[in-house]
Every structure is written in structure tokens, then in C-alpha cells.
Amino acid sequence: MESLIALFQRYAGKGGYNCILSKMEFLSFMNTELAAFTKNQKDPSVLDHIMKKLDTNNDGQLDFSEFLNLIGGLAMACHDSFLKAVPS
């Protein structure tokens, strides 16, 4: 838990308010922490689409609970991938 909070806080607030990720902070997070994912995307608008989907209150930024939706989705995708890799 502490690591997730620290990760969020590492990127949030560079624009002045440390409780949200601005679009630029979100892009910085994605391009740094999830570089393998972002580099393999053929659609340049994929990060915009992800942000819009995560931004449930449509304020153009991500609070911690919206950020956790990203982390939860990634965890589920990894879990599903591991299950598919394990022989029945």
C-alpha cells in the first residue's frame, strides 16, 4: 500500500496540487513506469483514451481513487495472463 501511495505522489503535484495527476503527470507516469506498454502501442491516442476512461468525474485529471482503477485493471490483466500461461 505504501508503495502505491508513494508512486502516485511521485508523479502527482508537479503542477502544484499533490492530490491529483494532471494529464501531463499521467503521461509522464505512463511513459516512465509503463514504458514497455506505451512503446508498443500503434495508436498514438491510446493514452488519451485510457485517461478519459479512468477520469470518472470528467475533470481532466486523476485523483488517487481513479489512479487505483488503473492499478487494479493492470493487476487483473497480469493475473489473467499468468492464468493463461499455466497449463491446465
Side-chain angles (χ1 to χ4, degrees), residues 18-53:
N18 67 352
C19 294
I20 56 99
L21 284 175
S22 68
K23 183 176 180 178
M24 294 307 294
E25 292 164 343
F26 171 73
L27 295 175
S28 176
F29 164 78
M30 293 295 290
N31 288 321
T32 303
E33 302 298 329
L34 300 171
F37 170 79
T38 57
K39 288 179 184 174
N40 289 323
Q41 297 306 307
K42 293 182 172 120
D43 180 0
S45 68
V46 73
L47 293 181
D48 287 333
H49 178 71
I50 291 170
M51 173 127 183
K52 284 179 186 174
K53 189 168 183 168

Side-chain angles (χ1 to χ4, degrees), residues 57-73:
N57 64 358
N58 297 315
D59 66 354
Q61 48 200 6
L62 301 179
D63 61 24
F64 188 66
S65 67
E66 291 168 327
F67 174 77
L68 286 179
N69 289 329
L70 171 66
I71 302 304

